Amino acid sequence: QVQLVESGGGLVQAGESLRLSCAASGDTFRRYVLGWFRQAPGKEREFVAAIGRGGHTYFADSVKGRFTISRDNAKNTVYLQMNSLKPEDTAVYHCAADSRIIMSSYRQDSAYDYWGQGTQVTVSS
């Protein structure tokens, strides 16, 4: 099992940047595929980005070119760097992890067994 704790959310203006962090504990971090998802009020949770065990990255079309995802296996932490933020990026952001996921499923929230509590990101116009 792994426990996940996000941090780094906040209130920013459109065009600004934020970096979210997700610290993991409890198991061998490098075994896990890591994802970021977000949920806005009244909307379903949606995929944002994922990073594989070997470091390959994947992004939703809505954030491609603006967000990057990275992992530091020595620090048991995954990051989501968000640049050029837009009001439509406003949501609660959750990190997720799973050790058994196959990469064809990385966009599906049901494929991840472990979730953090989320961190609020609010982008004002």
Side-chain angles (χ1 to χ4, degrees):
Q1 289 190 344
V2 64
Q3 293 78 44
L4 304 171
V5 179
E6 303 97 334
S7 61
L11 171 63
V12 297
Q13 293 187 335
E16 294 184 340
S17 299
L18 277 176
R19 188 177 80 157
L20 305 184
S21 300
C22 176
S25 61
D27 200 350
T28 306
F29 185 72
R30 64 180 181 272
R31 297 174 51 223
Y32 286 80
V33 172
L34 304 160
W36 285 96
F37 290 77
R38 66 187 182 187
Q39 188 166 20
K43 295 187 177 181
E44 294 188 353
R45 187 161 55 189
E46 65 174 357
F47 169 76
V48 176
I51 185 165
R53 300 173 187 87
H56 287 95
T57 59
Y58 309 86
F59 298 94
D61 288 344
S62 59
V63 306
K64 200 171 293 183
R66 299 188 296 124
F67 291 12
T68 58
I69 185 172
S70 60
R71 64 190 296 163
D72 185 336
N73 289 339
K75 295 183 178 180
N76 287 2
T77 301
V78 58
Y79 304 97
L80 184 70
Q81 177 67 43
M82 307 185 293
N83 299 329
S84 302
L85 283 161
K86 304 176 181 179
E88 50 264 44
D89 294 318
T90 295
V92 176
Y93 283 70
H94 297 268
C95 67
D98 200 275
S99 62
R100 298 169 298 174
I101 193 172
I102 57 175
M103 293 315 297
S104 60
S105 302
Y106 65 86
R107 292 177 178 268
Q108 302 171 15
D109 57 359
S110 60
Y112 296 82
D113 278 346
Y114 303 104
W115 291 84
Q117 83 289 349
T119 185
Q120 176 71 47
V121 172
T122 303
V123 185
S124 64
S125 57

